[in-house]
Amino acid sequence: MKNQKKIKNRTLFFLIAFLFLTSLLSLKTLKKVTMQDIRISGSTLFSQNDLVNNSSLKFPIRLIFIKTNFLEKELKQNLSLKNVSVSRQIFPFGLKIYVNTRTPIAYGEMILNDKKKLGFIDKDGFFIEKKNADKKNLIKLTIQVFGWKEKFKKILSRIFIAQENYEFEIVKITFSPNGFLTVEEKDLKTIFLGFNPKLINYQLQIINNLKSELKKNNFSKKIDNIDLTNPNKPKIKVFKP
């Protein structure tokens, strides 16, 4: 009987403790969050003000009402982030926001509402607004991208990846308003690639082969431009003496 009584008392204690903790947690989630309750990790580039000004959050707001998925999408887009994770926390109380910034590898220029917008491009072809770029990486940039648009991300990424694996050195990438792609290589000068993004891998391979062959023969100094719009029939224009 004594053992049964102890078990009942212990069960009652744990039940009361559980109910108390549940009530406490419920009360905590209803507590209002202020900007000072935001903790940022992953980067020191952005402040609490930056995160608030680039979201639709209005403080103070009850913790339970913060839509974390929506906030992640907002911050990722508005701050040019590679990744962002937002979590509500009870202990310590507040919002924990992890940000993963993009690393610029090229200068970038895009046209937005008929106005030029300067920024940078990362390895995945994403545009990074100038104010959101990590300045410590900018001294190493040697590539310029003009005419950036959202739809050109994949083709830019393929060019950047190819440059890491091949011997050529692209210094300028230009998309015309109608999407015609032109690149400039350090030795091969201007190279016309055209409109078809499906040809880009083949075209980049040809550029690498041309660079290797022309460099051996010291012929690259005579080149004016190369037309690879039809990669099966490359056309090389040389300077006339």
Side-chain angles (χ1 to χ4, degrees):
M1 291 292 290
K2 288 183 178 180
N3 287 337
Q4 288 181 346
K5 189 174 182 180
K6 285 182 179 179
I7 293 172
K8 285 183 179 180
N9 290 338
R10 195 175 297 168
T11 303
L12 182 61
F13 171 78
F14 284 119
L15 180 60
I16 293 172
F18 175 76
L19 291 173
F20 174 77
L21 183 59
T22 303
S23 299
L24 180 62
L25 292 176
S26 298
L27 288 173
K28 277 283 189 178
T29 59
L30 290 173
K31 185 180 176 182
K32 290 186 177 181
V33 179
T34 67
M35 191 165 62
Q36 285 67 39
D37 295 316
I38 297 175
R39 288 179 298 282
I40 306 167
S41 62
S43 173
T44 58
L45 186 61
F46 301 108
S47 66
Q48 293 168 323
N49 276 325
D50 292 326
L51 298 184
V52 173
N53 292 336
N54 285 278
S55 74
S56 56
L57 281 179
K58 302 296 181 185
F59 290 101
I61 181 174
R62 298 190 190 281
L63 183 64
I64 197 172
F65 293 151
I66 295 176
K67 299 176 181 178
T68 54
N69 289 338
F70 181 73
L71 182 55
E72 287 171 352
K73 290 178 182 178
E74 276 190 319
L75 294 176
K76 187 175 182 179
Q77 179 177 345
N78 296 338
L79 294 176
S80 311
L81 296 173
K82 187 170 186 177
N83 194 25
V84 57
S85 174
V86 180
S87 57
R88 295 186 292 253
Q89 288 192 325
I90 304 298
F91 304 107
F93 177 79
L95 273 183
K96 183 178 180 182
I97 302 180
Y98 172 81
V99 295
N100 186 5
T101 57
R102 296 186 180 278
T103 301
I105 65 168
Y107 293 101
E109 179 187 285
M110 66 180 290
I111 306 297
L112 185 64
N113 299 325
D114 296 325
K115 291 183 180 180
K116 290 182 180 179
K117 194 170 189 178
L118 301 178
F120 305 93
I121 312 295
D122 80 338
K123 186 178 179 179
D124 297 321
F126 280 81
F127 189 87
I128 308 168
E129 287 195 38
K130 201 171 183 179
K131 62 180 180 179
N132 297 330
D134 194 343
K135 304 298 187 294
K136 66 183 179 182
N137 296 306
L138 303 184
I139 57 174
K140 303 175 184 177
L141 305 186
T142 58
I143 307 172
Q144 294 177 301
V145 178
F146 297 94
W148 182 94
K149 288 182 181 178
E150 187 83 14
K151 63 181 179 181
F152 299 142
K153 289 187 300 185
K154 287 185 179 179
I155 197 168
L156 282 170
S157 180
R158 289 179 184 177
I159 294 172
F160 295 145
I161 292 172
Q163 177 150 288
E164 289 182 353
N165 300 322
Y166 290 150
E167 296 182 5
F168 58 71
E169 187 176 342
I170 301 294
V171 294
K172 186 190 291 185
I173 303 169
T174 304
F175 295 95
S176 69
N178 62 356
F180 189 94
L181 174 60
T182 304
V183 300
E184 186 176 319
E185 202 276 335
K186 186 177 179 182
D187 297 313
L188 300 179
K189 310 299 188 299
T190 302
I191 305 171
F192 303 115
L193 299 181
F195 295 103
N196 192 347
K198 294 180 180 179
L199 297 175
I200 188 63
N201 289 336
Y202 185 28
Q203 291 169 322
L204 291 170
Q205 191 175 21
I206 292 174
I207 291 173
N208 187 58
N209 294 340
L210 286 173
K211 177 71 181 270
S212 299
E213 290 302 316
L214 296 178
K215 200 171 183 180
K216 289 178 186 176
N217 301 316
N218 198 30
F219 186 67
S220 59
K221 294 181 180 178
K222 301 176 184 179
I223 295 176
D224 180 21
N225 63 66
I226 300 172
D227 188 344
L228 292 181
T229 51
N230 182 352
N232 292 316
K233 296 180 180 180
K235 298 177 183 177
I236 300 175
K237 182 179 180 181
V238 298
F239 289 109
K240 293 182 179 180

